[in-house]
Amino acid sequence: MTTTTPSLAIKDTPHRAPWGRWGIKSAAFTYLIVLLLIPLSVIFQDGLKDGLVNLWGSISLPIAWAALRLTLWTSALMAVINAVMGTLTAYVLVRYSFPGKSFLNAIVDLPLAIPTLVTGVMLVVLYGPQSIIGGWFKDQLGWQIIFAPPGIILALLFVNFPFVVRAVQPVLESLDRESEEAAATLGAGSARIFWQVTLPALWSSIASGALLSFARAIGEFGAIVIVAGNIPFRSQTAAIYVFGEVESSNRQGASAMSIVMLSLAFVLVLFVDWLRKRGRKERTA
Amino acid sequence: MNTKFKTLFVIIAVSLLTACGSSNTPSGNAGAVTLTLAGYSTPAEAYAKIIPLFTAYWKAQKNQDVTFETSYAGSGAQSRAVIGGLDADVVALSLEGDVTNIAKADLIKRDWQAIAPNKGIVSTSIVAFAVRKGNPKNIHDWADLAQPGLEVLTPDPKTSGGAQWNILALYGAALRGKVTGVPANDETAATNFLVSVLKNVTALDKDARSSITNFETGNGDVAITYENEVLLGQQRGQDYEVIIPSSTIKIQTPVAVVDVVSDKHGTTEVADAFVKFLFTKDAQQIFAEYGYRSEDPDVAAATAGQFPAVTDLFTIDDVFGGWKEAKTKYFSDTGIYVQAISEAQK
């Protein structure tokens, strides 16, 4: 504690730079290892301690398999809807001006701040079979929203709302409008400009936002446990299945499913990273 | 410079430690003790009333102050928390198996069922139904739960002790020939009946409280639940009605002293006294006020008007040979419940 005064500038004198860099690096690595790597490896060790055959055995139980399938298709459908509507929302927020725009812009992030359990309760009150809306759907169309897959998708859409919007928005803002104007002077209609000029520049950010929301949806618990009804084969998702296994003292089964969910999310996040890098290259090229 | 820092550090550390120390012994009473109680979620209100009675009793008996720290959560979660290091001197759980698990983790060394009165079963209730005001769907017994189109709520047996009682109550009634159309002692018929009720289940909430809350929100025609939960809901102003089936299971919830922890705290004597106190008439009277059926003959007689008699009341030992057997046979991965819920969704 005698001589190391923290330097303000990152570009330091050459003989000090390695120390500063080393310090920052090791702090970041320690943080990463303690907070992420160690807990994650415990899950892996737990799930794999009885070998891969048992891991497969836990996953291939009909109830577990159904829960995983339900999670994947509802999350995928949510990601597609989120991609389309999120892009639209971002487009409107960037390209149009209207009263209340900054208010709307601020609302976008709110789903991240609300406990997802509250989201679930709110959706049950709003769309449950005894509510006006939910009752109408049930009586007129025979559709059950809450305690069924549509409720799961609604909950996922709500909690993952910001991902695509916030991925697309900055790209759209930084987009060079000259090519759009050039297309317009060449006689292209606004729809054609959007499809052929604007959208191609957004693909990688849309995909990365959608995939991130998909990865997060796989593990969503708080909202789903209230909304889904948790009936095996019908409305029980993988995260709820894991909860059930933990509660009934089957840690191996819980960890096995968690490993599958984690691995899926990991592959997705790697893919997102690759998309981002590609997107950056395309934009700078 | 260095030594100055060190002195400063020591001063801060010492003052922090003494601050912590003094907060542990309130009002400087050297003989005061703290008991930590970890309970399952539903009897929280009853314990809140019993604890002051015990502290007054203990003060009069031993001239010692007892302060309580209480925590309430799902029975299984509490059991795991204690095993994981939650320093509870006394546990009050909804399933015997949750106490057994603590014993298996070597935290209860003594024979807890032999030490406490009534084999440690401190409060009992029965599995009953909550129905909407006026009973619009005409539900009177188990067989009525299988009518097509009815919406039934019950918690998830994977996560809720209460839910396991519910399933066993239904199955036991069927095995005993008390369900119309289901012959006695016929496991296939009983399982088929379970399947037909599970087909009507619209939500398997994570615990008994969430299930009844879901019912209070307006979902479902009937909720299978503890009788005391319905009575407590009515006390809070809910207008649903309780229906007691002709045949049902007696829910037995145990208390135990976690003696390895209490020995470490030096609180075993007071913990034992507290557990014993829970079986006194005063404490049993309070349990009765909160909807539990008392095992104490006098209290039971005095509160009989509040609790209608059950025509055919059975225990888990009577029909299922105890919890240990019931767990594997009904709730393991290949158990009867798992088969039935799979069958119900086909």
Side-chain angles (χ1 to χ4, degrees):
Chain A
M1 93 168 30
T2 42
T3 50
T4 46
T5 42
S7 55
L8 290 172
I10 294 171
K11 279 178 192 167
D12 216 333
T13 43
H15 73 278
R16 263 189 209 171
W19 280 107
R21 228 178 283 153
W22 184 84
I24 291 168
K25 259 191 198 166
S26 61
F29 281 142
T30 316
Y31 186 71
L32 206 78
I33 289 169
V34 171
L35 269 117
L36 279 180
L37 235 48
I38 294 177
L40 286 177
S41 59
V42 170
I43 297 175
F44 270 86
Q45 190 220 334
D46 230 33
L48 290 170
K49 69 168 178 252
D50 301 328
L52 270 174
V53 178
N54 274 311
L55 181 127
W56 175 245
S58 306
I59 297 301
S60 58
L61 287 175
I63 288 190
W65 191 237
L68 191 60
R69 272 203 325 257
L70 177 68
T71 303
L72 292 180
W73 81 255
T74 49
S75 301
L77 188 56
M78 177 282 300
V80 171
I81 301 174
N82 201 2
V84 176
M85 296 315 290
T87 308
L88 193 76
T89 311
Y91 192 80
V92 169
L93 284 175
V94 172
R95 290 292 165 85
Y96 293 85
S97 59
F98 50 89
K101 179 171 160 174
S102 48
F103 174 73
L104 269 184
N105 195 22
I107 291 191
V108 169
D109 286 326
L110 277 189
L112 292 182
I114 304 171
T116 54
L117 199 74
V118 176
T119 305
V121 173
M122 181 255 319
L123 287 174
V124 171
V125 171
L126 197 59
Y127 299 113
Q130 85 298 338
S131 70
I132 298 170
I133 304 174
W136 188 86
F137 270 100
K138 206 180 169 188
D139 298 339
Q140 302 295 317
L141 306 170
W143 288 4
Q144 172 108 1
I145 300 176
I146 298 299
F147 310 134
I152 298 177
I153 296 167
L154 269 181
L156 290 177
L157 276 172
F158 185 94
V159 298
N160 291 305
F161 193 94
F163 286 96
V164 174
V165 181
R166 291 302 186 229
V168 172
Q169 225 175 1
V171 181
L172 206 51
E173 273 162 359
S174 67
L175 208 60
D176 189 2
R177 298 200 64 175
E178 274 173 20
S179 32
E180 285 178 24
E181 280 154 13
T185 42
L186 289 173
S190 56
R192 192 166 168 209
I193 294 174
F194 179 79
W195 285 107
Q196 296 196 337
V197 181
T198 317
L199 201 56
L202 299 177
W203 275 130
S204 61
S205 61
I206 295 172
S208 76
L211 288 174
L212 265 189
S213 69
F214 182 80
R216 187 176 183 269
I218 292 175
E220 175 56 33
F221 177 80
I224 306 285
V225 76
I226 304 283
V227 158
N230 316 323
I231 311 236
F233 299 101
R234 198 202 299 169
S235 58
Q236 185 186 53
T237 65
I240 315 281
Y241 174 83
V242 169
F243 175 63
E245 295 311 296
V246 170
E247 289 288 313
S248 49
S249 317
N250 177 14
R251 258 181 49 191
Q252 194 270 335
S255 300
M257 179 63 95
S258 308
I259 287 176
V260 174
M261 293 160 75
L262 264 172
S263 310
L264 274 169
F266 185 66
V267 171
L268 282 174
V269 174
L270 276 183
F271 188 60
V272 167
D273 202 49
W274 177 79
L275 275 177
R276 275 192 186 145
K277 278 191 189 130
R278 212 187 63 156
R280 220 172 296 145
K281 251 184 235 156
E282 273 173 8
R283 255 174 283 144
T284 48
Chain B
M1 184 82 168
N2 247 332
T3 43
K4 255 188 195 169
F5 265 116
K6 271 183 191 161
T7 339
L8 192 66
F9 176 77
V10 169
I11 289 171
I12 292 171
V14 168
S15 53
L16 273 175
L17 279 175
T18 45
C20 293
S22 60
S23 68
N24 274 343
T25 49
S27 68
N29 186 336
V33 284
T34 303
L35 270 191
T36 305
L37 168 70
Y40 74 102
S41 48
T42 50
E45 291 88 353
Y47 280 109
K49 274 190 99 175
I50 294 171
I51 284 170
L53 290 186
F54 175 73
T55 49
Y57 159 84
W58 193 249
K59 181 82 180 170
Q61 289 281 313
K62 301 269 172 172
N63 193 27
Q64 186 181 37
D65 289 318
V66 196
T67 41
F68 273 81
E69 283 173 2
T70 54
S71 108
Y72 300 99
S75 185
Q78 288 290 43
S79 172
R80 276 194 308 282
V82 172
I83 293 167
L86 173 74
D87 267 353
D89 303 283
V90 179
V91 287
L93 303 174
S94 70
L95 298 180
E96 187 192 301
D98 289 331
V99 180
T100 317
N101 283 341
I102 298 174
K104 269 193 218 147
D106 290 329
L107 289 171
I108 301 177
K109 296 278 193 197
R110 304 181 299 181
D111 183 355
W112 60 276
Q113 284 172 309
I115 294 168
N118 200 31
K119 285 185 165 179
I121 303 301
V122 69
S123 61
T124 65
S125 189
I126 57 170
V127 169
F129 312 148
V131 298
R132 302 285 164 208
K133 195 181 175 190
N135 196 3
K137 301 272 172 167
N138 250 320
I139 291 151
H140 299 288
D141 215 334
W142 289 108
D144 300 325
L145 299 187
Q147 54 180 285
L150 193 77
E151 292 186 2
V152 179
L153 298 184
T154 180
D156 187 349
K158 278 271 177 187
T159 56
S160 159
Q164 297 183 8
W165 286 114
N166 293 352
I167 301 293
L168 293 178
L170 178 152
Y171 207 88
L175 283 180
R176 290 163 76 87
K178 305 292 179 186
V179 177
T180 323
V182 183
N185 302 314
D186 183 342
E187 286 206 347
T188 319
T191 306
N192 286 339
F193 176 65
L194 175 61
V195 169
S196 59
V197 174
L198 287 176
K199 276 193 172 141
N200 285 340
V201 171
T202 47
L204 290 166
D205 286 298
K206 65 184 191 318
D207 54 52
R209 251 308 141 81
S210 317
S211 186
I212 198 80
T213 311
N214 197 354
F215 187 69
E216 286 169 6
T217 317
N219 296 309
D221 299 311
V222 53
I224 312 176
T225 184
Y226 296 175
E227 179 191 41
N228 60 287
E229 279 287 84
V230 191
L231 295 178
L232 191 67
Q234 289 174 338
Q235 282 177 18
R236 289 198 315 258
Q238 294 289 337
D239 64 354
Y240 43 66
E241 292 175 12
V242 55
I243 300 289
I244 295 170
S246 61
S247 170
T248 192
I249 201 167
K250 185 196 265 185
I251 295 167
Q252 300 165 302
T253 64
V255 285
V257 174
V258 187
D259 50 51
V260 172
V261 173
S262 64
D263 282 349
K264 193 177 71 186
H265 293 168
T267 51
T268 305
E269 191 196 356
V270 57
D272 280 341
F274 177 65
V275 165
K276 218 172 157 193
F277 187 80
L278 295 174
F279 292 86
T280 60
K281 293 197 193 325
D282 289 344
Q284 287 293 312
Q285 182 64 41
I286 291 173
F287 279 120
E289 278 168 34
Y290 285 95
Y292 292 92
R293 292 179 176 233
S294 181
E295 296 271 275
D296 182 283
D298 296 334
V299 178
T303 54
Q306 195 186 335
F307 302 105
V310 181
T311 323
D312 178 51
L313 186 64
F314 57 89
T315 67
I316 188 154
D317 293 338
D318 295 342
V319 181
F320 303 100
W323 262 116
K324 212 178 153 200
E325 286 196 14
K327 274 261 185 203
T328 12
K329 185 164 176 191
Y330 294 89
F331 303 110
S332 69
D333 277 343
T334 48
I336 286 174
Y337 167 75
V338 176
Q339 287 171 23
I341 190 87
S342 312
E343 180 66 35
Q345 298 309 318
K346 271 180 193 159

